[in-house]
Amino acid sequence: MSSKLNPPQREAIRYLDGPLLVLAGAGSGKTRVITHKIAYLIEECQVQPAHIAAITFTNKAAREMQERIAKLMPGRSLQGLTVSTFHSLGARIVRQEAKLCELKPSFSILDAGDCAGIITELLAHADKAQIRAMQARISMWKNGLVDPEHAIATAQEPLELAAARLYAEYERTLRAYQAVDFDDLIRLPVRLFDRAPEALARWQGRLRHLLVDEYQDTNKCQYRMLKQLAGPRAAFTAVGDDDQSIYAWRGADVENLHLLQKDFPLLKVIKLEQNYRSTTRILKAANTLIANNPKLFEKKLWSEHGHGDAITVHACRDGDHEAEMVIMKLQAHKFQHRGAFRDYAILYRGNHQARAFEQQLRNNKIPYLMSGGQSFFDRAEIKDITCYLRLIANSDDDPAFIRAVTTPKRGIGSATIEALGRYAGQRRISLFAAAFEVGAESHVNAKQLAAVREFGAFINRMETRAAHEPAGALLDEMLKALGYETWLFESCEAREAEGKWANVRDFVGWLSKKGEEENKNLLELTQSVALISMLDKNAEDADAVQLATLHAAKGLEFKHVFLVGIEEGLLPHRDAEAEGRIAEERRLMYVGITRAERSLHLSWCERRKQGKEWRACEPSRFIAEMGDDMKFSGGSKENAPQDKAAGRAKLAQFKALLSGGQTG
């Protein structure tokens, strides 16, 4: 099993004497280490799978890990093995400890849209930007383990105090709905373990070996949960790379690497520096760039893949010219090397940059995929069905009730919901519960109330059956009873309705299959749905150029990469310097460079349109920081020469442009 592993990888897999940090550079085989270590624990050390937990950040990474483990141990039962995201593990803990968390086991998990809806109601007249800002502020408080009372007590100015009071109201609303948001799935277990030592001991006994992927992306709350679960035994392996810490904006704290050394004095550090992805030239540029950042741990990637193709840097007139140039260059490269479209990626700092490239790809009839597009579960028709599932699982879920009772239309409008809401507010109960109280009859029109109660009775019947009937058959029956297909074709154009109904059928088929494979009923499946961000439809198998932001590209690799818009103001972002985030922006550039296996092409624009105005642009300082082993071309003044000496001359020009502007 270990014959294909290099010495540091083998050492990391076999080390069981205490806490371990594996510093895994880009493309160094970190997933291989985690999966082989799990196999080693089970097969060589006779550890029960149920006592092992591998924790990662995305469903995709968890699935990939599960598949690899299964291949390493064919025919071996892995029943009880936990391979999940932080949030899935948190949801499992809260579900099983629901009583201690003052929740019912069928609590609802609200998505960002539902949470924004609650904040919108609480703020009444706020604009979308203000709602997003408040939502982000509450999320940061939760991830930093700051409760509403503390936020109110420590508020420094009126706006912060208003946000803290909103946070308190928001929390009360969630509890009334018997609901949690995504941040709660980590925060609640941490709070539970702090005040219920018996619950902590229970989970420490279950999960005796922890393996954490992408450790550098953990926030304060996630680190605390890891520390709690590890306990005094500290049998964990954290795998991460401080050079790829790019999520500070959503609470990730690279300082957690420092904390490991402080909190676990016996921590062993093993470095994985051999890169299995990229050529020497690409790695040299990446190493040279990242050396400009202060280092937590010294690390230098190397490869046996040969020197490789020259890195190219092309100066373009403007954004349209850049898109034309990149697509032309991509086509020529593909033809010359007889490659496939899936071998190519175009990566950028912000989503707004994609538009010009999409247009050129369409004009040239080149297939493409975009990372970070609309999630399958964010489609209106899927949210409609999901709301029914949430309501069947938890009748106190008011956001789900409001959507379900009005979709399809059944003569219940906003006036009815508002009247019922006023009564429910007075009684401090959910809308669903309020509808069945005698007191509601004096607040809500009799005809409308009868329609609401008929709807409620239907939900109750579904709930009773959901606990013991197959999910797929019950969903089919529910959709038929609702007349959802008919309503779609009555309310949408035929083509749109067909597409939406096909999505619903896909969703029902997927749920049915998942229920059979995991032996789960409809109630149990509902929380699973809330934790999945996208239904994979084999998009990865499509022969198409990949368009993605640098953040979305992390963890991916492509034979040929085009990094576009590499200019001051975009990368690093214009706000980064003022906010002291140049080091993180440099790490983002590093991530972009290290996505490339065989060839890397950079481009920047001499001018770019901002609104109706044109602004002059300068090449990013990061180009100069990559060293001088690059080919420069384009630009209005001259075509940069191809040899190394002339490259150095061009580099000197770049540095002259950037004089006095480099900070770390």
Side-chain angles (χ1 to χ4, degrees), residues 130 176 179 218 229 271 294 303 349 415 423 437 478 493 509 535 663:
Q130 192 179 354
T218 55
L229 288 171
K271 298 177 187 179
S303 162
R349 177 64 173 81
Y423 176 69
E437 288 200 346
M478 185 184 84
E493 295 288 333
L535 184 64
T663 63

Side-chain angles (χ1 to χ4, degrees), residues 526-568:
T526 302
Q527 289 176 338
S528 301
V529 171
L531 287 166
I532 298 170
S533 58
M534 188 177 285
L535 184 64
D536 295 321
K537 293 191 162 188
N538 298 319
E540 293 169 20
D541 298 332
D543 186 22
V545 175
Q546 182 76 58
L547 296 182
T549 64
L550 288 163
H551 285 100
K554 187 163 170 284
L556 305 178
E557 56 188 39
F558 307 92
K559 285 183 181 174
H560 313 288
V561 169
F562 290 85
L563 289 182
V564 301
I566 310 301
E567 56 214 43
E568 294 290 307

Side-chain angles (χ1 to χ4, degrees), residues 186-352:
I186 312 297
R187 186 177 73 100
L188 290 177
V190 168
R191 292 293 191 220
L192 169 71
F193 293 154
D194 277 345
R195 68 172 190 269
E198 71 281 8
L200 177 58
R202 209 164 25 247
W203 285 92
Q204 286 175 341
R206 287 179 193 175
L207 307 177
R208 298 178 190 176
H209 292 270
L210 300 171
L211 300 99
V212 183
D213 191 18
E214 304 286 6
Y215 175 77
Q216 77 282 345
D217 293 336
T218 55
N219 58 37
K220 184 178 178 179
C221 209
Q222 288 160 337
Y223 175 68
R224 183 77 171 273
M225 187 166 87
L226 168 66
K227 192 179 168 186
Q228 287 172 324
L229 288 171
R233 292 177 67 250
F236 70 80
T237 300
V239 182
D241 181 7
D242 51 323
D243 291 333
Q244 295 188 74
S245 178
I246 57 173
Y247 293 115
W249 52 275
R250 69 180 189 197
D253 192 351
V254 73
E255 286 300 306
N256 285 348
L257 285 161
H258 277 310
L259 281 176
L260 270 185
Q261 290 184 305
K262 178 173 168 282
D263 294 339
F264 300 94
L266 299 176
L267 181 75
K268 184 176 177 65
V269 179
I270 296 174
K271 298 177 187 179
L272 303 185
E273 297 174 296
Q274 183 175 358
N275 175 286
Y276 293 92
R277 177 185 300 158
S278 308
T279 64
T280 298
R281 189 174 247 138
I282 291 169
L283 293 180
K284 183 185 173 189
N287 287 331
T288 306
L289 169 80
I290 207 67
N292 290 275
N293 270 1
K295 304 293 284 183
L296 290 175
F297 302 95
E298 286 300 326
K299 179 174 82 282
K300 200 165 186 177
L301 296 180
W302 60 276
S303 162
E304 293 179 343
H305 282 321
H307 205 54
D309 297 344
I311 298 170
T312 67
V313 182
H314 195 93
C316 305
R317 292 189 302 275
D318 52 43
D320 288 338
H321 177 226
E322 182 181 41
E324 287 172 23
M325 184 277 299
V326 166
I327 303 313
M328 183 180 72
K329 202 167 181 176
L330 187 154
Q331 284 181 297
H333 193 281
K334 178 181 176 291
F335 179 78
Q336 187 183 348
H337 294 83
R338 302 188 179 188
F341 286 121
R342 70 168 64 88
D343 297 336
Y344 295 84
I346 301 170
L347 308 181
Y348 36 78
R349 177 64 173 81
N351 276 310
H352 66 279

Side-chain angles (χ1 to χ4, degrees), residues 2 52 175 206 474 530 537 582 590:
S2 61
I52 302 170
R175 296 293 86 80
R206 287 179 193 175
L474 192 61
K537 293 191 162 188
I582 293 294
Y590 176 85

Side-chain angles (χ1 to χ4, degrees), residues 13 97 104 125 279 281 304 349 353 521 527 613:
I13 287 159
E97 307 289 350
K104 57 187 183 185
H125 302 298
T279 64
R281 189 174 247 138
E304 293 179 343
R349 177 64 173 81
Q353 294 169 255
N521 61 40
Q527 289 176 338
E613 303 293 320

